[in-house]
């Protein structure tokens, strides 16, 4: 049995259909088994050939095509599915699935599916706001389907308003949330830090590092999907905020400390993945520093060690997780950090390994505690985050019960 879930994507005849190619490609790259079903109208907007190539599976459009093997029969597909997503979902397809109409391959398979269902409406604002469409969407909700709200913005029909299909990354995020059925962090308060800090030198320059924030955002997403109440304290990144997560944006190490430390006592789990500056300029020049002949000296002072401060004030039952990025002696340095900062876990990664570290979508980490050392192989940052949270939650449960 394959490890990754089976995702059925039903595409109906909306202008946003072309964007689904990006979603299919992204899911496929992460190892999901993706099956695409299209309505006849959807074929006007994007060809089955594109989606077949991207998904690696036959794209099904015609329920009466006798060339299909039994595995692509609508009932077999329905049994295989872990989640069925309709994106974009036209007003027409929403009306059909809300009322049990099964007049093509997409709607027949949908009706036969017992898995979780996610509908992503996308249409002109007046179509969306029409009480009939609203009733149909509500009906879908009442039948237990998940609805991903449309966004607002410029619509292909030339107007601006609600009805825009969320971007593929947002749909992917919603799919992962729906797939995470086991809410093993339900009721838990989790604080995560992410990204770099920027230490100002003058009004135009600062000291920073290469952290992209991707690992921390993946942790926040995975913790939310596991049912936690999540606060994400984030340095400057180019990433979109995580839906359903309370975000506190900060810039400097000082701001990060001021945001994190007062929250400590109410948290069950704290995971510090931000790359916080150890040193900051003693003074920030009020005006831009102009160059002169010869070198220049910059006087730096230590910033607050947030992890250490949290470790010193850790209450019983609270779990503290630090990250350690090393260029040498990964395990020795991480074990030292575990001890000196009073952490429960150190997530260690090496800058020297390909596929690990800053910027990319993958990581290779070792989860280190006093009792165990677990090496995770090359995984996406989201899968790495899920594995870290599972390990941490096992300890959390054993602490509190
Ligand atoms: C250029 C064009 C763009 C369309 N875009 C949308 C859309 O974004 N949302 C929608 O609900 N219908 C849209 N429609 C109308 C649907 O294609 C039409 O209702 C069709 O019957 C839907 O069929 P299906 O739901 O079986 O795919 C569009 C039609 C055209 C011609």
């Amino acid at each position: 049995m394959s490890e990754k879930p089976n995702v059925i994507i039903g595409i109906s005849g909306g202008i946003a259909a072309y964007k689904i190619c990006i979603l299919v490609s992204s899911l496929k790259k992460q190892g999901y088994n993706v099956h695409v079903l299209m309505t006849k109208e959807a074929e006007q907007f994007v060809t089955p050939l594109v989606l077949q190539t991207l998904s690696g599976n036959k794209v099904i459009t015609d329920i009466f095509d006798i060339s299909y093997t039994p595995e692509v029969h609508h009932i077999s597909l329905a049994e295989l599915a872990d989640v069925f997503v309709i994106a974009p979902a036209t007003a027409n397809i929403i009306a059909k699935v809300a009322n049990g109409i099964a007049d093509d391959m997409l709607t027949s398979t949908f009706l036969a599916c017992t898995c979780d269902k996610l509908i992503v409406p996308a249409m002109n604002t007046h179509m969306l706001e029409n009480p009939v469409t609203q009733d149909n969407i509500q009906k879908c909700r009442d039948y237990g389907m998940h609805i991903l709200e449309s966004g607002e913005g410029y619509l292909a029909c030339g107007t601006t308003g609600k009805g825009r299909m969320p971007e593929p990354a947002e749909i992917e995020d919603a799919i992962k949330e729906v797939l995470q059925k086991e809410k093993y962090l339900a009721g838990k308060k989790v604080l995560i830090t992410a990204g770099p800090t920027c230490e100002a030198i003058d009004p135009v320059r600062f000291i920073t590092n290469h952290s992209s924030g991707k690992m921390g955002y993946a942790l926040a997403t995975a913790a939310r999907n596991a049912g936690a109440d999540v606060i994400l304290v984030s340095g400057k990144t180019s990433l979109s905020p995580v839906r359903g997560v309370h975000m506190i944006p900060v810039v400097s190490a000082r701001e990060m400390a001021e945001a994190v430390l007062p929250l400590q006592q109410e948290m069950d789990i704290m995971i510090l993945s931000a790359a916080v500056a150890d040193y900051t300029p003693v003074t920030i020049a009020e005006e831009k520093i102009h160059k002169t002949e010869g070198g220049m000296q910059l006087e730096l002072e230590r910033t607050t060690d947030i992890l250490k401060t949290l470790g010193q004030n850790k209450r019983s039952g609270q779990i503290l997780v630090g990250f350690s990025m090393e260029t040498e002696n990964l395990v020795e340095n991480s074990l030292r950090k575990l001890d000196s900062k009073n952490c429960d876990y150190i997530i260690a990664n090496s800058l020297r390994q390909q596929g690990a570290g800053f910027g990319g979508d993958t990581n290779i980490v070792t989860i280190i505690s006093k009792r165990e050392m677990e090496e995770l192989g090359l995984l996406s940052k989201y899968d790495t985050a899920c594995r870290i949270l599972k390990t941490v939650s096992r300890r959390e449960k054993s602490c509190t019960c």
Side-chain angles (χ1 to χ4, degrees), residues 11-17 38-45 86 88-94 96 103-104 106-107 121-124 127-128 133 155-157 163 165:
I11 306 177
S12 58
I15 191 71
M38 296 173 76
T39 63
K40 275 266 160 256
E41 288 71 15
E43 289 184 61
Q44 298 289 327
F45 298 88
I86 304 185
T90 57
N92 179 58
I93 209 89
I94 293 170
K96 284 193 194 176
D103 63 354
D104 61 8
L106 194 160
T107 46
M123 65 198 74
N124 159 275
M127 288 173 90
L128 181 67
T133 306
L155 302 173
C157 53
M165 190 179 79

Short mmCIF file of all heavy atoms in Angstrom, two decimals, residues 11-17 38-45 86 88-94 96 103-104 106-107 121-124 127-128 133 155-157 163 165, ligand 1:
data_model
loop_
_atom_site.label_atom_id
_atom_site.label_comp_id
_atom_site.label_asym_id
_atom_site.label_seq_id
_atom_site.Cartn_x
_atom_site.Cartn_y
_atom_site.Cartn_z
N ILE A 11 -12.46 18.64 -11.93
CA ILE A 11 -12.38 19.99 -12.51
C ILE A 11 -13.66 20.27 -13.28
O ILE A 11 -14.05 19.49 -14.16
CB ILE A 11 -11.17 20.11 -13.47
CG1 ILE A 11 -9.87 19.67 -12.74
CG2 ILE A 11 -11.03 21.53 -14.00
CD1 ILE A 11 -8.64 19.69 -13.63
N SER A 12 -14.32 21.38 -12.93
CA SER A 12 -15.51 21.75 -13.70
C SER A 12 -15.20 22.99 -14.54
O SER A 12 -14.10 23.55 -14.47
CB SER A 12 -16.71 21.94 -12.77
OG SER A 12 -16.46 22.93 -11.80
N GLY A 13 -16.19 23.41 -15.34
CA GLY A 13 -15.93 24.38 -16.41
C GLY A 13 -15.87 25.82 -15.99
O GLY A 13 -16.67 26.66 -16.43
N GLY A 14 -14.90 26.16 -15.17
CA GLY A 14 -14.68 27.56 -14.77
C GLY A 14 -13.36 28.04 -15.35
O GLY A 14 -12.46 27.24 -15.62
N ILE A 15 -13.25 29.35 -15.48
CA ILE A 15 -12.06 29.94 -16.09
C ILE A 15 -10.79 29.64 -15.29
O ILE A 15 -9.69 29.58 -15.85
CB ILE A 15 -12.27 31.47 -16.30
CG1 ILE A 15 -11.20 32.07 -17.18
CG2 ILE A 15 -12.38 32.21 -15.00
CD1 ILE A 15 -11.28 31.66 -18.61
N ALA A 16 -10.95 29.39 -13.97
CA ALA A 16 -9.76 29.14 -13.14
C ALA A 16 -9.20 27.72 -13.33
O ALA A 16 -8.20 27.37 -12.70
CB ALA A 16 -10.10 29.38 -11.67
N ALA A 17 -9.83 26.93 -14.21
CA ALA A 17 -9.41 25.53 -14.37
C ALA A 17 -7.92 25.39 -14.69
O ALA A 17 -7.26 24.45 -14.24
CB ALA A 17 -10.25 24.87 -15.46
N MET A 38 -12.76 15.25 -15.17
CA MET A 38 -13.16 16.55 -15.72
C MET A 38 -14.57 16.48 -16.27
O MET A 38 -14.96 15.44 -16.82
CB MET A 38 -12.21 16.94 -16.87
CG MET A 38 -10.79 17.15 -16.41
SD MET A 38 -9.68 17.40 -17.81
CE MET A 38 -10.05 19.08 -18.27
N THR A 39 -15.28 17.60 -16.17
CA THR A 39 -16.56 17.66 -16.87
C THR A 39 -16.25 17.96 -18.34
O THR A 39 -15.14 18.41 -18.68
CB THR A 39 -17.47 18.79 -16.31
OG1 THR A 39 -16.83 20.04 -16.54
CG2 THR A 39 -17.75 18.60 -14.83
N LYS A 40 -17.24 17.73 -19.18
CA LYS A 40 -17.08 18.03 -20.62
C LYS A 40 -16.73 19.51 -20.80
O LYS A 40 -15.89 19.88 -21.62
CB LYS A 40 -18.39 17.74 -21.35
CG LYS A 40 -18.51 16.30 -21.75
CD LYS A 40 -18.01 16.09 -23.18
CE LYS A 40 -17.66 14.65 -23.47
NZ LYS A 40 -16.24 14.34 -23.49
N GLU A 41 -17.38 20.37 -19.98
CA GLU A 41 -17.17 21.82 -20.10
C GLU A 41 -15.75 22.20 -19.67
O GLU A 41 -15.15 23.11 -20.23
CB GLU A 41 -18.21 22.58 -19.26
CG GLU A 41 -19.61 22.57 -19.82
CD GLU A 41 -20.32 21.22 -19.71
OE1 GLU A 41 -19.84 20.33 -18.96
OE2 GLU A 41 -21.35 21.03 -20.40
N ALA A 42 -15.22 21.48 -18.70
CA ALA A 42 -13.86 21.80 -18.23
C ALA A 42 -12.85 21.63 -19.35
O ALA A 42 -11.84 22.33 -19.41
CB ALA A 42 -13.50 20.91 -17.04
N GLU A 43 -13.14 20.70 -20.26
CA GLU A 43 -12.21 20.46 -21.38
C GLU A 43 -12.10 21.66 -22.31
O GLU A 43 -11.18 21.74 -23.11
CB GLU A 43 -12.68 19.24 -22.19
CG GLU A 43 -12.48 17.94 -21.47
CD GLU A 43 -12.86 16.76 -22.36
OE1 GLU A 43 -12.23 16.60 -23.41
OE2 GLU A 43 -13.82 16.05 -22.00
N GLN A 44 -13.04 22.59 -22.19
CA GLN A 44 -12.96 23.82 -22.99
C GLN A 44 -11.86 24.74 -22.46
O GLN A 44 -11.39 25.64 -23.14
CB GLN A 44 -14.29 24.59 -22.94
CG GLN A 44 -15.48 23.86 -23.52
CD GLN A 44 -15.39 23.75 -25.03
OE1 GLN A 44 -14.87 24.63 -25.70
NE2 GLN A 44 -15.87 22.63 -25.56
N PHE A 45 -11.51 24.54 -21.20
CA PHE A 45 -10.58 25.47 -20.54
C PHE A 45 -9.17 24.91 -20.41
O PHE A 45 -8.21 25.65 -20.37
CB PHE A 45 -11.12 25.83 -19.14
CG PHE A 45 -12.45 26.54 -19.19
CD1 PHE A 45 -13.64 25.84 -19.19
CD2 PHE A 45 -12.48 27.93 -19.26
CE1 PHE A 45 -14.86 26.50 -19.25
CE2 PHE A 45 -13.70 28.60 -19.32
CZ PHE A 45 -14.89 27.88 -19.32
N ILE A 86 -13.29 19.32 -5.56
CA ILE A 86 -13.79 19.90 -6.81
C ILE A 86 -13.28 21.33 -6.90
O ILE A 86 -13.62 22.19 -6.07
CB ILE A 86 -15.32 19.88 -6.92
CG1 ILE A 86 -15.85 18.45 -6.77
CG2 ILE A 86 -15.76 20.46 -8.27
CD1 ILE A 86 -17.36 18.30 -6.99
N PRO A 88 -11.80 24.19 -10.09
CA PRO A 88 -12.79 25.12 -9.57
C PRO A 88 -14.16 24.46 -9.58
O PRO A 88 -14.45 23.63 -10.44
CB PRO A 88 -12.73 26.27 -10.58
CG PRO A 88 -12.28 25.65 -11.86
CD PRO A 88 -11.37 24.53 -11.47
N ALA A 89 -15.00 24.84 -8.61
CA ALA A 89 -16.36 24.32 -8.58
C ALA A 89 -17.29 25.40 -9.14
O ALA A 89 -17.41 26.48 -8.56
CB ALA A 89 -16.76 23.96 -7.16
N THR A 90 -17.88 25.11 -10.28
CA THR A 90 -18.81 26.07 -10.89
C THR A 90 -20.12 26.10 -10.10
O THR A 90 -20.42 25.18 -9.33
CB THR A 90 -19.15 25.66 -12.34
OG1 THR A 90 -19.69 24.32 -12.29
CG2 THR A 90 -17.93 25.68 -13.24
N ALA A 91 -20.90 27.15 -10.35
CA ALA A 91 -22.23 27.23 -9.73
C ALA A 91 -23.04 25.99 -10.11
O ALA A 91 -23.75 25.41 -9.29
CB ALA A 91 -22.93 28.50 -10.22
N ASN A 92 -22.84 25.57 -11.36
CA ASN A 92 -23.58 24.41 -11.88
C ASN A 92 -23.22 23.12 -11.14
O ASN A 92 -24.10 22.37 -10.71
CB ASN A 92 -23.24 24.29 -13.38
CG ASN A 92 -23.92 23.13 -14.04
OD1 ASN A 92 -25.14 23.02 -14.02
ND2 ASN A 92 -23.13 22.23 -14.62
N ILE A 93 -21.91 22.87 -10.95
CA ILE A 93 -21.50 21.61 -10.32
C ILE A 93 -21.89 21.61 -8.84
O ILE A 93 -22.26 20.58 -8.28
CB ILE A 93 -19.98 21.33 -10.51
CG1 ILE A 93 -19.69 19.81 -10.52
CG2 ILE A 93 -19.13 21.94 -9.42
CD1 ILE A 93 -19.77 19.22 -11.84
N ILE A 94 -21.86 22.80 -8.22
CA ILE A 94 -22.26 22.89 -6.80
C ILE A 94 -23.74 22.54 -6.69
O ILE A 94 -24.15 21.78 -5.80
CB ILE A 94 -21.95 24.29 -6.23
CG1 ILE A 94 -20.43 24.51 -6.18
CG2 ILE A 94 -22.56 24.46 -4.84
CD1 ILE A 94 -20.00 25.92 -5.86
N LYS A 96 -25.39 20.66 -8.64
CA LYS A 96 -25.56 19.21 -8.87
C LYS A 96 -25.20 18.40 -7.64
O LYS A 96 -25.96 17.54 -7.20
CB LYS A 96 -24.67 18.78 -10.03
CG LYS A 96 -25.19 19.17 -11.40
CD LYS A 96 -24.38 18.39 -12.42
CE LYS A 96 -24.54 18.92 -13.82
NZ LYS A 96 -23.68 18.21 -14.76
N ASP A 103 -24.84 12.88 -13.35
CA ASP A 103 -25.08 12.70 -14.78
C ASP A 103 -23.80 12.70 -15.61
O ASP A 103 -23.84 12.84 -16.82
CB ASP A 103 -26.05 13.79 -15.29
CG ASP A 103 -25.48 15.20 -15.15
OD1 ASP A 103 -24.39 15.34 -14.55
OD2 ASP A 103 -26.14 16.14 -15.62
N ASP A 104 -22.65 12.59 -14.95
CA ASP A 104 -21.39 12.40 -15.68
C ASP A 104 -20.40 11.68 -14.76
O ASP A 104 -20.74 11.32 -13.63
CB ASP A 104 -20.83 13.75 -16.21
CG ASP A 104 -20.50 14.73 -15.09
OD1 ASP A 104 -20.55 14.34 -13.90
OD2 ASP A 104 -20.18 15.90 -15.39
N LEU A 106 -17.68 12.73 -13.27
CA LEU A 106 -17.27 13.47 -12.07
C LEU A 106 -18.35 13.37 -10.98
O LEU A 106 -18.06 12.96 -9.85
CB LEU A 106 -17.00 14.94 -12.44
CG LEU A 106 -16.27 15.81 -11.42
CD1 LEU A 106 -15.67 17.04 -12.10
CD2 LEU A 106 -17.12 16.24 -10.25
N THR A 107 -19.57 13.71 -11.33
CA THR A 107 -20.63 13.73 -10.31
C THR A 107 -21.02 12.32 -9.84
O THR A 107 -21.35 12.12 -8.67
CB THR A 107 -21.88 14.48 -10.83
OG1 THR A 107 -22.18 14.02 -12.14
CG2 THR A 107 -21.65 15.98 -10.86
N PRO A 121 -15.45 26.80 -4.55
CA PRO A 121 -16.26 27.59 -5.49
C PRO A 121 -15.44 28.68 -6.17
O PRO A 121 -14.56 29.27 -5.55
CB PRO A 121 -17.33 28.23 -4.59
CG PRO A 121 -17.32 27.46 -3.32
CD PRO A 121 -15.91 26.96 -3.17
N ALA A 122 -15.72 28.91 -7.44
CA ALA A 122 -15.05 29.99 -8.19
C ALA A 122 -16.00 30.45 -9.27
O ALA A 122 -16.38 29.67 -10.15
CB ALA A 122 -13.76 29.47 -8.81
N MET A 123 -16.41 31.69 -9.18
CA MET A 123 -17.37 32.20 -10.17
C MET A 123 -17.54 33.70 -10.04
O MET A 123 -17.01 34.31 -9.09
CB MET A 123 -18.73 31.50 -9.98
CG MET A 123 -19.41 31.80 -8.67
SD MET A 123 -20.69 30.61 -8.25
CE MET A 123 -19.79 29.17 -7.74
N ASN A 124 -18.28 34.26 -10.95
CA ASN A 124 -18.64 35.67 -10.93
C ASN A 124 -19.38 36.01 -9.63
O ASN A 124 -20.12 35.18 -9.09
CB ASN A 124 -19.53 35.91 -12.17
CG ASN A 124 -20.38 37.13 -12.06
OD1 ASN A 124 -21.47 37.09 -11.50
ND2 ASN A 124 -19.89 38.21 -12.61
N MET A 127 -23.13 35.44 -9.48
CA MET A 127 -23.47 34.01 -9.45
C MET A 127 -23.28 33.46 -8.04
O MET A 127 -24.10 32.69 -7.53
CB MET A 127 -22.57 33.22 -10.42
CG MET A 127 -22.86 33.44 -11.87
SD MET A 127 -21.61 32.61 -12.90
CE MET A 127 -22.31 31.00 -13.12
N LEU A 128 -22.18 33.88 -7.40
CA LEU A 128 -21.87 33.39 -6.06
C LEU A 128 -22.88 33.90 -5.04
O LEU A 128 -23.33 33.16 -4.16
CB LEU A 128 -20.46 33.83 -5.66
CG LEU A 128 -19.97 33.37 -4.29
CD1 LEU A 128 -19.78 31.85 -4.26
CD2 LEU A 128 -18.64 34.04 -3.91
N THR A 133 -27.32 29.82 -5.25
CA THR A 133 -25.96 29.28 -5.08
C THR A 133 -25.61 29.21 -3.60
O THR A 133 -25.04 28.21 -3.13
CB THR A 133 -24.93 30.17 -5.82
OG1 THR A 133 -25.35 30.31 -7.16
CG2 THR A 133 -23.55 29.58 -5.78
N LEU A 155 -11.74 39.54 -11.23
CA LEU A 155 -12.27 38.30 -11.79
C LEU A 155 -12.14 38.32 -13.30
O LEU A 155 -12.15 39.40 -13.92
CB LEU A 155 -13.75 38.11 -11.39
CG LEU A 155 -14.03 38.10 -9.89
CD1 LEU A 155 -15.53 38.08 -9.62
CD2 LEU A 155 -13.38 36.89 -9.23
N ALA A 156 -12.05 37.14 -13.88
CA ALA A 156 -11.82 37.06 -15.32
C ALA A 156 -12.95 37.71 -16.12
O ALA A 156 -12.75 38.14 -17.26
CB ALA A 156 -11.66 35.61 -15.74
N CYS A 157 -14.15 37.82 -15.52
CA CYS A 157 -15.27 38.44 -16.24
C CYS A 157 -15.11 39.97 -16.29
O CYS A 157 -15.96 40.67 -16.84
CB CYS A 157 -16.60 38.05 -15.61
SG CYS A 157 -16.67 38.38 -13.84
N GLY A 163 -15.45 35.69 -5.34
CA GLY A 163 -15.69 34.61 -6.29
C GLY A 163 -14.42 34.06 -6.89
O GLY A 163 -14.43 33.07 -7.61
N MET A 165 -11.10 32.07 -7.31
CA MET A 165 -10.63 30.79 -6.76
C MET A 165 -9.36 31.03 -5.94
O MET A 165 -8.45 31.72 -6.40
CB MET A 165 -10.32 29.79 -7.87
CG MET A 165 -10.07 28.38 -7.32
SD MET A 165 -9.74 27.16 -8.60
CE MET A 165 -8.03 27.51 -8.98
C1 LIG B 1 -15.45 31.73 -20.68
C2 LIG B 1 -16.32 31.12 -19.64
C3 LIG B 1 -15.93 31.16 -18.33
C4 LIG B 1 -16.74 30.60 -17.32
N1 LIG B 1 -16.31 30.66 -16.02
C5 LIG B 1 -17.13 30.18 -15.06
C6 LIG B 1 -16.73 30.25 -13.70
O1 LIG B 1 -15.64 30.73 -13.37
N2 LIG B 1 -17.56 29.77 -12.76
C7 LIG B 1 -18.79 29.22 -13.08
O2 LIG B 1 -19.52 28.82 -12.18
N3 LIG B 1 -19.16 29.11 -14.39
C8 LIG B 1 -18.37 29.58 -15.37
N4 LIG B 1 -18.77 29.49 -16.67
C9 LIG B 1 -20.06 28.82 -16.99
C10 LIG B 1 -19.91 27.32 -16.97
O3 LIG B 1 -18.90 26.88 -17.87
C11 LIG B 1 -21.25 26.65 -17.30
O4 LIG B 1 -22.15 26.90 -16.26
C12 LIG B 1 -21.10 25.16 -17.52
O5 LIG B 1 -22.37 24.63 -17.79
C13 LIG B 1 -20.49 24.47 -16.30
O6 LIG B 1 -20.46 23.10 -16.53
P1 LIG B 1 -19.83 22.09 -15.46
O7 LIG B 1 -20.23 22.59 -14.13
O8 LIG B 1 -20.44 20.75 -15.77
O9 LIG B 1 -18.38 22.07 -15.70
C14 LIG B 1 -17.97 30.00 -17.68
C15 LIG B 1 -18.33 29.93 -19.01
C16 LIG B 1 -17.54 30.49 -19.98
C17 LIG B 1 -17.98 30.42 -21.42
#
